[in-house]
């Protein structure tokens, strides 16, 4: 079953800067393009790091303050001080960069952003070259899919292709991304799988299933291989 990938939502036309790009040019690039961060690349379009608004704001936050160096200076305070004094991209960027690739699922990209506490991921090809960038906002585009598109995927991909359910046995309704399944199947495991797979369709917010079943096959699935159920 196909799920949306980073390549489906990422921005292909990426604004970039080089290691020697001055502070003011980086600010100009962000403002002109309406973006909040920019990858720093070398001559082969390999990503060296990322400069974000937070990296640039250290200079504003510390403007007019006298230089202060603590005897026991924490890493965060030292980094803020160094970036406040930095003038070039190589000294402003956060490195190493957190990256992904076009074939990654949007689910894995979202988890990676959350785990690494970043708002964007440069997207690399097989040779490690920059081909795009994906942001949190890009990932949310999956929820702009229409109810009709979502229903089509549930019917075609989940019910027909994966579960081979005959038409008419299960009805599918979708409203604002919420999927409602109803009908009847032969096994309980099939009803549970239908609900679980429907929840994996891109754009689905929630799944409610009232599908009935003829046989509760959970006990059969839990039996160890070769185990024989005694006959009364």
């Amino acid at each position: 079953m196909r799920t949306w990938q980073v390549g489906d939502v990422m921005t292909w036309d990426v604004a970039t800067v080089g290691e020697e790009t001055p502070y003011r040019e980086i600010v100009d690039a962000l403002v002109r393009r309406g973006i909040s961060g920019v990858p720093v690349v070398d001559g082969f379009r390999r990503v060296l790091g990322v400069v974000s608004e937070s990296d640039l704001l250290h200079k504003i936050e510390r403007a007019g303050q006298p230089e202060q160096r603590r005897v026991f200076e924490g890493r965060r305070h030292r980094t803020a001080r160094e970036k406040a004094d930095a003038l070039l991209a190589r000294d402003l960027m956060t490195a190493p960069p957190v990256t992904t690739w076009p074939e990654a699922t949007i689910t894995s990209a979202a988890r990676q952003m959350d785990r690494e506490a970043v708002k964007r991921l440069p997207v690399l090809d097989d040779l490690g070259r920059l081909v795009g960038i994906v942001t949190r906002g890009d990932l949310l585009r999956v929820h702009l899919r229409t109810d009709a598109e979502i229903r089509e995927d549930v019917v075609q991909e989940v019910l027909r292709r994966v579960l081979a359910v005959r038409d008419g046995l299960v009805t599918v309704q979708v409203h604002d991304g919420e999927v409602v399944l109803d009908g009847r199947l032969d096994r309980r495991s099939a009803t549970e799988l239908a609900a679980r797979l429907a929840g994996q369709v891109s754009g689905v917010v929630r799944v409610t299933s009232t599908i009935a079943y003829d046989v509760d096959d959970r006990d059969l699935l839990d039996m160890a291989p070769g185990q024989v159920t005694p006959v009364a």
Side-chain angles (χ1 to χ4, degrees), residues 153-226:
D153 277 359
V154 173
V155 172
Q156 295 292 341
E157 296 295 321
V158 175
L159 297 180
R160 292 179 180 172
R161 192 174 71 83
V162 178
L163 298 178
V165 174
R166 298 196 311 273
D167 291 349
L169 294 182
V170 175
T171 62
V172 180
Q173 298 182 34
V174 184
H175 180 68
D176 290 341
E178 297 188 21
V179 176
V180 177
L181 304 175
D182 192 21
R184 192 175 191 89
L185 295 176
D186 56 349
R187 293 168 291 116
R188 178 170 183 169
S189 60
T191 68
E192 294 175 347
L193 184 58
R196 185 163 68 250
L197 292 178
Q200 296 175 14
V201 170
S202 297
V204 172
V205 176
R206 182 172 62 179
V207 176
T208 300
S209 176
T210 56
I211 304 175
Y213 53 87
D214 296 324
V215 177
D216 187 346
D217 59 343
R218 290 181 305 172
D219 293 337
L220 296 177
L221 294 175
D222 291 339
M223 287 175 58

Side-chain angles (χ1 to χ4, degrees), residues 20-118:
E20 302 297 320
T21 303
Y23 180 96
R24 288 289 296 273
E25 287 188 21
I26 301 173
V27 173
D28 179 68
L30 297 188
V31 173
R32 186 175 65 254
R33 294 289 294 265
I35 54 180
S36 59
V38 60
V40 181
V41 300
D42 63 13
F44 299 97
R45 290 188 68 79
R46 292 176 300 198
V47 182
L48 307 175
V50 175
V51 178
S52 66
E53 290 175 331
S54 60
D55 296 318
L56 299 171
L57 283 172
H58 291 302
K59 190 175 294 294
I60 297 175
E61 292 169 354
R62 298 174 66 87
Q65 295 183 6
E67 179 67 17
Q68 295 179 350
R69 296 199 180 192
R70 302 175 182 176
V71 177
F72 300 104
E73 186 177 42
R75 179 180 178 183
R76 182 176 179 181
H77 185 273
R78 183 178 65 255
T79 298
R81 175 176 53 78
E82 291 172 348
K83 291 190 176 185
D85 296 334
L87 297 175
L88 300 177
R90 66 164 179 261
D91 302 316
L92 289 159
M93 69 184 184
T94 297
V98 182
T99 62
T100 187
W101 58 95
E103 295 76 24
T105 65
I106 62 173
T107 299
S108 65
R111 290 173 179 166
Q112 188 177 14
M113 286 185 187
D114 180 66
R115 182 174 62 251
E116 301 293 340
V118 296

